[in-house]
Amino acid sequence: MASFSGFIRKSPAERLKRYFGSKDVPASVDFDWRGAGRGTELVRSIEQLIAELPEKRQDAIKAELDLLATLSDKVGLIAAEQVCSGEEIDIEGLHGIQDILLFIAIEHPILLNRIEVQASMSRRHGGQNWSTFQFDDDGRPWTLENEGARAAFLADTLAVLDLPKHRKHVADWYETVRTHAVTGEETTFTHATIYVEERAESELGFGVSDTLERQVVAKVLEVGVACDPKSRLVEICARGGKKVRDQFSTVFSKNFAPHSKPPVEVPRRDVFLKLLKREPDFEVVPSDGIARVEISSLDFADTNGGIARFEKRGEVESIHEFLDRRFGNTSPLRAGSWTILAATIRIILAAQEGKRQRTLTVTLRLPNTTTSPNTTESDRQFIFGLLERWGLLAPAFEEFDVLEAG
């Protein structure tokens, strides 16, 4: 856990004063909130203020400062921006992550839990406790706002967790706004964080008589769900392994998209599209059973904010040849100000005896989205193997479970 001393030294003096004022921490009129050189003297002075409070209030303030310090990094900043954007809270004029977190702790303390959850989910993104599922875009709306569907989803989630019915539980629904790192495009995600009272643990602690006593400590289990109805993506963060997260995706589908086809898992793996600035030589071997491979579309983002999409199909001319013929040296493939944002690749399989020719389509999008709709699991593994061979996709994680403490 991060030390809050560094957080205090980096925090704006006026915001610190307001924060401790909101906690009813008494300080003299001439208390120096700026401190001598913003160093250890300020930290010691504030620690002395806290030390004069009752013990329980000391513990509460120190715990919150420790939380704020833990969130005061780049991941915490992005989480705060996403949560505040979803709540339409303006933090644009604030000076750095310390100022933002103190402002939220003063004005919107309930959001600190959401920011903590969002930061935690971001840190696990793509890891062993994370799965992303893709629904087909069938045009059927999801029932995310339906209270009955939410209640049923919570009940089914508790059933998956297989905990006794008397355990306390609550679901927190909210929205965040994510900004794409390349295009600046904003996407609104709907979140549900489900908190469930887990089996309590027995720990040693000091009792009222200053002697060691065995104490029962309550624990909380979290399940995080984030979904984007526009792109039809659902992200699930939960411990317990892939099979458990598959169950959660089934529960989501049952309650919010009952008339849609079941989703397929979409691994979050970094994609390398810079290689496509030049026409690639897609290496294939006879055992692949591939007739040909073509790039059917390329999306570009310009450093000045422009976005362009080009599509070209057919064996006569590739999309690279088309762009060179049409734009020459001004082609986005040659101009340094353009970045390839996404690419769609069509893998045309050779016709087999008794079967007609098939085409597998995969879309890669920065930084880590790989979408291949309407394919079987064996097709997806075949596609991912080819993408790795061609250098367009990072290697996969080795799947194993991590049991989290607390």
Side-chain angles (χ1 to χ4, degrees):
M1 179 175 289
S3 168
F4 66 72
S5 61
F7 179 85
I8 287 176
R9 286 196 295 267
K10 296 176 182 178
S11 298
E14 186 59 33
R15 191 72 68 184
L16 273 177
K17 180 179 179 180
R18 293 182 192 176
Y19 174 77
F20 284 101
S22 72
K23 301 296 180 182
D24 294 324
V25 177
S28 61
V29 176
D30 60 350
F31 185 89
D32 184 9
W33 292 99
R34 298 187 181 278
R38 307 290 291 160
T40 56
E41 289 185 21
L42 174 64
V43 175
R44 288 173 183 167
S45 298
I46 289 179
E47 287 179 337
Q48 184 58 42
L49 291 179
I50 298 174
E52 295 172 0
L53 300 172
E55 289 185 1
K56 287 188 176 180
R57 289 190 60 207
Q58 287 186 43
D59 292 342
I61 291 176
K62 288 180 179 179
E64 184 166 273
L65 287 172
D66 280 336
L67 172 60
L68 298 181
T70 302
L71 294 173
S72 59
D73 58 9
K74 185 176 181 180
V75 174
L77 174 60
I78 293 172
E81 290 173 340
Q82 291 175 348
V83 171
C84 288
S85 293
E87 296 292 324
E88 297 184 349
I89 296 172
D90 184 14
I91 57 174
E92 188 65 31
L94 302 183
H95 304 290
I97 182 59
Q98 290 80 18
D99 196 17
I100 291 171
L101 291 173
L102 287 172
F103 163 76
I104 293 169
I106 297 168
E107 303 293 341
H108 309 280
I110 193 174
L111 298 187
L112 286 180
N113 286 341
R114 294 178 179 177
I115 293 171
E116 181 184 15
V117 168
Q118 188 69 8
S120 176
M121 291 179 71
S122 296
R123 290 187 176 101
R124 301 176 196 175
H125 201 283
Q128 287 83 9
N129 290 331
W130 186 281
S131 294
T132 302
F133 297 89
Q134 176 75 61
F135 283 78
D136 282 343
D137 188 4
D138 56 11
R140 295 175 176 176
W142 289 351
T143 58
L144 292 173
E145 304 298 327
N146 185 286
E147 292 299 330
R150 289 185 175 189
F153 174 71
L154 175 59
D156 288 341
T157 298
L158 297 176
V160 172
L161 294 172
D162 194 25
L163 294 171
K165 292 183 179 180
H166 69 269
R167 296 285 171 80
K168 298 176 183 177
H169 55 269
V170 66
D172 181 25
W173 288 86
Y174 59 96
E175 290 185 345
T176 65
V177 177
R178 300 184 191 177
T179 303
H180 195 281
V182 178
T183 66
E185 179 184 6
E186 293 186 344
T187 303
T188 299
F189 274 74
T190 299
H191 293 255
T193 304
I194 298 171
Y195 301 91
V196 182
E197 183 183 29
E198 203 174 10
R199 179 179 293 129
E201 295 182 3
S202 178
E203 297 179 356
L204 283 175
F206 284 98
V208 292
S209 59
D210 293 334
T211 58
L212 281 175
E213 297 177 2
R214 182 65 61 178
Q215 300 175 348
V216 175
V217 180
K219 297 292 181 179
V220 174
L221 175 68
E222 298 175 9
V223 176
V225 178
C227 55
D228 172 19
K230 184 178 179 181
S231 65
R232 315 291 281 188
L233 282 175
V234 177
E235 302 170 348
I236 296 173
C237 183
R239 72 190 193 192
K242 180 181 182 301
K243 290 183 179 179
V244 172
R245 293 190 295 277
D246 285 345
Q247 288 179 278
F248 286 134
S249 76
T250 300
V251 167
F252 182 95
S253 179
K254 168 188 170 185
N255 291 288
F256 299 120
H259 303 297
S260 298
K261 293 181 181 178
V264 296
E265 186 172 358
V266 182
R268 285 304 217 199
R269 293 160 64 179
D270 289 344
V271 298
F272 310 118
L273 300 183
K274 190 178 292 186
L275 298 174
L276 300 183
K277 279 276 191 172
R278 295 172 178 262
E279 186 157 10
D281 179 17
F282 292 119
E283 177 191 353
V284 297
V285 295
S287 60
D288 292 332
I290 295 175
R292 64 186 179 89
V293 182
E294 70 175 19
I295 300 173
S296 59
S297 73
L298 288 172
D299 293 12
F300 296 89
D302 182 68
T303 53
N304 294 318
I307 297 177
R309 177 182 178 84
F310 297 92
E311 296 186 11
K312 184 73 174 66
R313 292 188 184 184
E315 298 182 59
V316 177
E317 184 180 45
S318 71
I319 193 168
H320 286 74
E321 293 169 336
F322 166 75
L323 290 172
D324 279 344
R325 174 177 61 79
R326 181 64 180 80
F327 298 103
N329 290 330
T330 62
S331 163
L333 291 168
R334 300 190 185 188
S337 61
W338 290 92
T339 298
I340 299 179
L341 177 66
T344 297
I345 300 173
R346 299 176 73 241
I347 303 165
I348 296 90
L349 302 178
Q352 298 180 355
E353 185 177 350
K355 296 182 180 180
R356 62 182 181 180
Q357 191 178 73
R358 286 199 306 138
T359 299
L360 302 177
T361 303
V362 59
T363 297
L364 307 176
R365 186 175 179 85
L366 291 180
N368 54 18
T369 302
T370 308
T371 307
S372 183
N374 302 319
T375 53
T376 64
E377 183 61 30
S378 61
D379 283 341
R380 284 191 291 277
Q381 294 306 318
F382 175 62
I383 291 170
F384 292 149
L386 291 173
L387 295 174
E388 286 186 39
R389 183 196 303 173
W390 298 333
L392 297 175
L393 189 66
F397 280 103
E398 182 180 351
E399 179 71 29
F400 62 92
D401 270 343
V402 176
L403 294 180
E404 303 171 10

